[in-house]
Amino acid sequence: MALSTITGENKKTIICTGSLAAILSIDNIFTQNCLAQQIHDSYQQLVAKNNTVTIVWTPSHVGIPGNERADKAAKEALNMDLPTVQIQLHTDLQNSLKQSITSKWQHIWSLSNAKLAQIQTQITAHNLPLMPRKDTIIIHRLRIGHTGVTHGHILDSLDPPRCECNDILTVNHILSECPKYDENRLKWRIGTDLKEDLATPENIARVINFLKDIKLYNCI
């Protein structure tokens, strides 16, 4: 606040303080204290205008007229109507910054048309169980809606494949719709909601068994 009162150019200013700790903090050019960093910035701006600023430590010695006047002025300043300056360290801002970024990311994700967004509605969710690597790859492919059997045609520049029932082959069609696999779905208790079928560990295990049963496990 003392630096902010310096206006104009070619001025010589001395700032006296009884806080040695404050001076040492300001003296550290690598300080992580945001207030000290602001002081550094203000100081550089003043120097650029040919101002000279000197900070002096004045220990609180009783009996020295100059110090006693400074102490009196400091005590009077406590009753002055000065603006409140709220200081937060960078470590205090990390949580709020992280929450803000997560909130914006969640909003964008909620508006996404990606198939995974329909299954995993929360970006922080991670509920896949520990399982063999191939099972993990298969579940991830099912969750994003891109598998070998449903999207392999893209690499060969062919038309989308169709099921025996003449519907376009999709993950949802295989797991939830195709009448050819009705008995298999009933056997493994596969529902019609991909969000549920590909979410909990129990349902994921049933989906893996279902794919093996209908001989599509190695095609995903």
Side-chain angles (χ1 to χ4, degrees), residues 12 22-23 33 53-55 59 67 79 93 111 116 135 141 152 161:
K12 294 182 179 180
I23 293 179
N33 185 291
V53 180
T54 303
I55 300 178
N67 281 358
N79 298 320
L93 298 175
L111 299 177
L116 180 58
D135 290 357
R141 288 177 177 176

Side-chain angles (χ1 to χ4, degrees), residues 66-79:
N67 281 358
E68 290 184 348
R69 288 197 301 271
D71 289 342
K72 180 181 178 182
K75 292 177 182 178
E76 291 175 350
L78 294 175
N79 298 320

Side-chain angles (χ1 to χ4, degrees), residues 159-177:
D159 293 332
R162 289 187 175 274
C163 181
E164 293 180 5
C165 60
N166 205 35
D167 285 339
I168 294 179
L169 208 57
T170 65
V171 170
N172 186 61
H173 182 75
I174 295 172
L175 296 183
S176 306
E177 298 175 348

Side-chain angles (χ1 to χ4, degrees), residues 8 20 44 55 65 68 84 89 94 125 128 137 158 160 175 197 220:
L20 180 60
Q44 293 299 332
I55 300 178
E68 290 184 348
T84 301
L89 297 178
Q94 287 178 349
L128 290 183
I137 292 174
L158 300 175
L175 296 183
D197 293 335
I220 302 298

Side-chain angles (χ1 to χ4, degrees), residues 8 16 25 37 43 48 60 66-67 72 91 94 98 104 123 127 144 150 153 156 183 186-187 202 211:
C16 299
S25 178
Q37 292 174 350
Y43 173 78
S60 182
N67 281 358
K72 180 181 178 182
T91 52
Q94 287 178 349
K98 182 178 180 180
K104 291 181 179 180
I123 60 173
N127 47 18
I144 65 175
T150 60
H153 66 283
D156 297 325
E183 292 185 4
L186 184 62
K187 174 182 176 181
E202 296 79 7
L211 293 174

Side-chain angles (χ1 to χ4, degrees), residues 34 65 76 88 100 102 105 110 116 124 136 140-141 147 199:
C34 62
E76 291 175 350
Q88 287 184 301
S100 177
T102 302
W105 184 11
S110 299
L116 180 58
T124 55
T136 302
H140 277 302
R141 288 177 177 176
T147 70

